[in-house]
Amino acid sequence: MKQTGQRALSPMDYAMKYLTLKDRTVSEVQSYLDGKEFGEADVDATVERLKELGLLNDTRYAQRFVETRLSTKPVSRRRLREQMKGHGLSDADIEAALDSLDAESEEANAKAVALKFVRQFRTLDPEKRRERVLSRLIARGYAYDTARKAYETALSAEDEWSES
C-alpha cells in the first residue's frame, strides 16, 4: 500500500482511478501498477479481481478498439494488428477482433480514406495529389495495390460528385 497524506491507497484504488479515464488492457494496468511499485502478488490479485468484476477484459477491449479505430481514423488490418500488439493484447484477442474485417471491408475503408484525401488535396496538380493520397494510404498500412485501387475509385467518385 502506498501512503498519501490521508490514507494508504491500495492497488485497486490506483487501478480504478486509471480505468476511469478509458478502457485499458491487462498489460496496461499491470504496467501502471508496477510503476506504482506494488508487489507482483498485489498487482496480480488486483488484475484478477478487475477481470472478475468485468472491468478488465482484453477481448472486449480489442473489439472496441477495432470498432472505434475504424469509425474515427480507418487503418488497415495490418496496422490495427500492430497497434493492438502495442497495447499488449494477445494474438488470440487480436485475431478475434479482426475476424469481422474481411478483404471487402478493408477495401471499403481504404476507399473512404482515399476519398477524404482526394477531396482534401483537390487543389494540387494531379500528380502531386496522387502522390499525397497514396502516401497517406500507405502510411495507414494499406498495401500499395489496395491504395492505388482506392485512389482510382475515389478519384472517379470525386469527378462524378463535382460534375453533379
Side-chain angles (χ1 to χ4, degrees), residues 1 10-12 33 37-48:
M1 296 226 178
S10 70
M12 184 61 83
L33 293 176
E37 299 180 11
F38 289 109
E40 189 173 331
D42 288 336
V43 170
D44 290 345
T46 300
V47 166
E48 287 308 312

Side-chain angles (χ1 to χ4, degrees), residues 37-91:
E37 299 180 11
F38 289 109
E40 189 173 331
D42 288 336
V43 170
D44 290 345
T46 300
V47 166
E48 287 308 312
R49 183 65 180 137
L50 290 168
K51 287 180 186 178
E52 289 169 9
L53 294 170
L55 298 173
L56 201 52
N57 181 321
D58 280 357
T59 303
R60 183 182 65 221
Y61 179 95
Q63 288 291 339
R64 286 181 181 168
F65 184 89
V66 169
E67 291 166 8
T68 302
R69 189 69 168 129
L70 292 178
S71 68
T72 58
K73 187 175 180 184
V75 295
S76 69
R77 283 177 58 94
R78 182 173 57 86
R79 185 58 41 88
L80 283 167
R81 184 177 287 106
E82 291 168 1
Q83 291 173 344
M84 287 190 284
K85 271 294 202 196
H87 286 275
L89 293 167
S90 71
D91 289 337

Side-chain angles (χ1 to χ4, degrees), residues 29 36 52 81 84 116 126 131:
V29 171
K36 297 293 181 190
E52 289 169 9
R81 184 177 287 106
M84 287 190 284
K116 171 189 170 186
E131 288 174 17

